[in-house]
Structure formats: structure tokens, C-alpha cells
Amino acid sequence: MTDDLAATATASPVAAGPDGATRRELVRSTVAAGAAAAVASVVPSLGPSTALAAPVGDIAVLALALRAEQVIVYAYERVLASGIVASPAARVLTLFLAQEHEHVDALTVNLVRLGGAVPSPPSDLAEFEVELRELGVKRSPVGLRNERESVSFLVRLEMAVATVYHFVIDQLADDKLIQTAAQIMANEGQHAAVLHELVSPGNVRRAVPSAFVGGVK
Amino acid sequence: MVSRGSRRAFLRTAGVGLAGSSSLLITACGGGSAVTKKLADEESITLATRASDIEILNDVLDLEHAAVAAYTAGIPLLSGHAQDAGAQFLGQELSHVKALTGAVTGAGGKPNRPRARYDLGNPRGQAEVLAMLDATEEALVDIYLDAIPKLSPGWLRAAVASILANEAQHISVLRAARGLAPAPSAFLTVNE
């Protein structure tokens, strides 16, 4: 991770992270591919008319990535706590949860260095489900009946988060942050492939179905 | 005109299409005028930037050609699930080549062609072929991680990152086939 990002804080057009009231709006807009305007709509210094011409600001973009990571952490924790998933799959999920925590930590450190406000993670199931829908994941973790359904749910969420990073990498200005986001996006892609393998062992066409991960189709 | 042509060419073949990005902008501001504005912004990219992007894209294209050669040579020495994976990944590497070639051409550059021959060592048997393919993928990851921040338009960085993530998936499958942890690090690095 970078040690000199604080120097870029003053260059950011965003003075502070968006407040909680705009969180759902942000995530929804990202997945709906209207994210640039949506982020700008919650950033006072950028009006919608300028959003398409200017970067939305590294602080707002990092906050968006952090929110997605918070959602996926909540999802892994909930699935693991349910007891539905047994070993060896549970060991894989535990490792991936730890890696998602590392993503959260890295994004938090950089967001704070830039002077941004760290968003709050989902506080309860209802808020989590709203966030899921806004990421484009329609399935709720409530009612997952078995290991296959639980892991498939996480695969969908991993791909949704990869799509968020596709937008994040498009919008970030700082080179080191871009590289870090790319490293994380690649890791999310790995998670999706490995989880797919748990659901459909030996079916590489399902595990790695596309030559391009996370783009808006 | 730098990015319009390259963007169309790249994204058309990448399947992350201009249509998708255009609808992104139309959704964002409710009309086609935003698309026009976005494209106008891309017009302002300097010639120096274009030359730099072409050079970077050609560098990664060189390695993608090498990956195609590695899979083409290695697949006959694989069997079962590993061979299926190799065939799947070869198809995806060819998609990357096509997309990158389109991007270079669209930016007004001349895409690098594959070499007449590649030194792939002398892998014997499945284990050595998998190791060779894994090393090839790691070299790709190395060059993509270096290249992505240097590319100028954000959409191009993102599109190339979507290739990087696919290479990372290849590494996971190859590592699993070698009996190694498929995703050992939260941050993809070449040292995995």
C-alpha cells in the first residue's frame, strides 16, 4: 500500500465522503452504470453537468469501493455464521473473508489519508438487503437452503463487486490507488472462480466463463 | 481522434461494449448529448498520450501473443480437466489479443504481430506444462499491473483491468491443478 497518499488529498475535488443518506443511491447507480453522475450528485463541488467531464474524485470513489467491500464482508460473515457451509468449503470462505477484510483495511487507510469519511458498514439485515439489491444481487441470504445456494449467492456478489471495481478503476486518478484497485479486482475475480469450482467441480467453463471480468455488459 | 476508435474497437471485441458505456452515460444524464460530450472529452487526449498508450498496449499484446503460443504448445501435453481448462484459457487469450489489437489499431497504431517462434523451454509432462503456463500468466499479471495505471483514458484502464482479472482467474485454476493454494493473497501480485 502507499505511504504518500496524503499529499494528494488537497488535489481531490471532494472535500468529504458522501453521507449515509446517499449511500444506496451511490451503489445503485454504479451497478446501473450511471455511477459517474450519481457520485457527482452527492459531491457538492461537482454538479451533474460536470460529472461527465471531470473525475468524480478519489475520495468518493474509494468510499464507493469500501462500501462494496463492507457488503461482501457482511455476506461472508452471515453465510459462515449460518452453519450451512461445511468444510472444505467453509475453509475457503473463511480465507476469502479474511482477504475481504484486508481489502476493507487497505481502502480505509487510504480513504482516511485522503481526508475522507469512512462509511458505516451495514448495521442489520434489512440494510444489507437493500445494499444487495443496489449491487444488482436480487437473491437474499435469507432462505438459502444449502451449501450450493449459499456459495452461488457469494459468486454473484463477488462478480457484482468486480463490476464496482471496473468503475472505480475508470474513475480513480492516483496511480497507486489504481494499481491497488486492480489488484483487489483481480482477487475478487479469483474468488468468483474458486467459489464456482466449489459449486461445479471440474467445470472450468462455469468457473472462468468470460475473457473479461467485471465490465458492464 | 484517439479514443473513439480505439474504444469502440477494444470494447466491441471485449464484450464490455461501447453500447454499454454509451447507455451508461445516457442513463446518467438522460440523453445522447452526454455521449457526445464524453467523446468530445476524449478528443482532447494529446498525441503524446496516444503514443504512450499504443506503446503500452503493444507491450502487453506481445505477451498475450506469447501466452497464445504457450497454450497452443502446451494443450496437447495436458489431459482431462487440465486440458479442458487449457482450451478454455487459450480461447480467452485469443479474445484478449483481438481486443488489444483493436485498441491499438483504433488509436492509430500498428499492432505488434506474434513472433515466428517463442522459447517456451522444454516442458515434459503435465506438471511441467502447468508450471510453464502458470509462469506465463504471472508474467502477464506483472505487465498488466504495471501498465494499467499508465494508460490514459479511464475506460481503457478499466477494460484492461477486466483482462487482468481474467488472467488472475487463470492463475487460480492453474495453481489448483498444481496442488497450490488458488488465491493465496488478497492483493494479486506476481509473487504468488
Side-chain angles (χ1 to χ4, degrees):
Chain A
M1 297 307 302
T2 59
D3 293 325
D4 57 348
L5 294 175
T8 66
T10 55
S12 171
V14 184
D19 61 29
T22 59
R23 172 179 183 152
R24 291 186 292 275
E25 189 177 338
L26 268 170
V27 177
R28 179 190 304 120
S29 301
T30 298
V31 176
V39 172
S41 72
V42 298
V43 178
S45 59
L46 289 177
S49 63
T50 61
L52 297 164
V56 295
D58 284 2
I59 290 177
V61 175
L62 278 182
L64 187 65
L66 180 51
R67 287 170 176 174
E69 292 286 355
Q70 290 169 335
V71 170
I72 204 164
V73 162
Y74 192 101
Y76 273 101
E77 289 176 341
R78 183 170 179 88
V79 168
L80 283 167
S82 72
I84 291 176
V85 179
S87 287
R91 284 201 299 274
V92 174
L93 266 57
T94 300
L95 171 63
F96 288 178
L97 171 60
Q99 293 181 342
E100 302 297 358
H101 275 299
E102 287 188 62
H103 301 164
V104 167
D105 291 346
L107 294 169
T108 299
V109 165
N110 283 300
L111 188 56
V112 169
R113 282 179 177 166
L114 291 175
V118 177
S120 300
S123 58
D124 55 29
L125 179 61
E127 188 176 339
F128 171 64
E129 289 185 316
V130 170
E131 302 274 4
L132 277 181
R133 286 194 293 274
E134 289 163 353
L135 279 168
V137 179
K138 296 176 182 175
R139 181 71 188 259
S140 166
V142 176
L144 294 173
R145 293 170 297 181
N146 52 46
E147 183 170 301
R148 183 184 181 85
E149 288 184 0
S150 299
V151 175
S152 295
F153 163 72
L154 291 173
V155 169
R156 282 194 286 273
L157 189 48
E158 288 282 4
M159 293 310 294
V161 172
T163 299
V164 170
Y165 276 102
H166 190 272
F167 168 75
V168 164
I169 291 166
D170 183 328
Q171 292 295 316
L172 282 173
D174 181 272
D175 285 356
K176 291 180 180 175
L177 289 177
I178 291 167
Q179 192 171 59
T180 298
Q183 289 178 291
I184 296 176
M185 179 181 174
N187 183 237
E188 308 294 10
Q190 290 183 315
H191 288 181
V194 175
L195 293 174
H196 251 309
E197 176 68 16
L198 292 175
V199 175
S200 302
N203 189 343
V204 72
R205 284 175 177 75
R206 287 200 64 184
V208 189
S210 171
F212 306 92
V213 176
V216 177
K217 300 294 190 289
Chain B
M1 175 65 216
V2 175
S3 293
R4 184 184 297 170
S6 59
R7 181 186 199 193
R8 283 179 172 155
F10 185 96
L11 297 180
R12 187 183 305 121
T13 49
V16 292
L18 180 62
S21 296
S22 296
S23 59
L24 179 159
L25 294 165
I26 291 168
T27 301
C29 68
S33 60
V35 178
T36 304
K37 179 169 177 48
K38 173 73 173 173
L39 292 174
D41 293 339
E42 291 176 357
E43 299 264 11
S44 66
I45 296 170
T46 66
L47 289 175
T49 298
R50 172 169 61 176
S52 171
D53 284 346
I54 290 170
E55 184 177 350
I56 293 166
L57 291 170
N58 261 330
D59 285 345
V60 296
L61 182 56
D62 281 338
L63 261 186
E64 288 284 1
H65 283 312
V68 167
Y71 277 103
T72 301
I75 287 170
L77 299 174
L78 301 174
S79 61
H81 173 59
Q83 190 173 56
D84 290 344
Q88 173 82 347
F89 297 170
L90 171 59
Q92 293 176 341
E93 303 299 359
L94 287 167
S95 295
H96 301 163
V97 165
K98 188 176 179 183
L100 293 165
T101 298
V104 172
T105 303
K110 182 179 178 183
N112 288 353
R113 303 280 302 164
R115 290 188 222 154
R117 56 184 295 128
Y118 291 89
D119 182 6
L120 301 172
N122 187 26
R124 286 169 293 187
Q126 181 153 301
E128 292 185 11
V129 171
L130 289 172
M132 180 267 289
L133 294 173
D134 195 1
T136 302
E137 294 282 4
E138 290 198 2
L140 277 169
V141 163
D142 189 13
I143 197 167
Y144 276 118
L145 282 174
D146 183 60
I148 288 168
K150 296 176 181 172
L151 293 168
S152 303
W155 64 264
L156 184 58
R157 286 197 302 269
V160 172
S162 75
I163 297 179
L164 165 70
N166 179 240
E167 309 294 6
Q169 292 180 318
H170 294 178
I171 287 176
S172 285
V173 173
L174 292 168
R175 285 180 58 90
R178 300 177 65 202
L180 302 172
S185 171
F187 302 90
L188 185 73
T189 67
V190 295
N191 296 318
E192 287 187 353

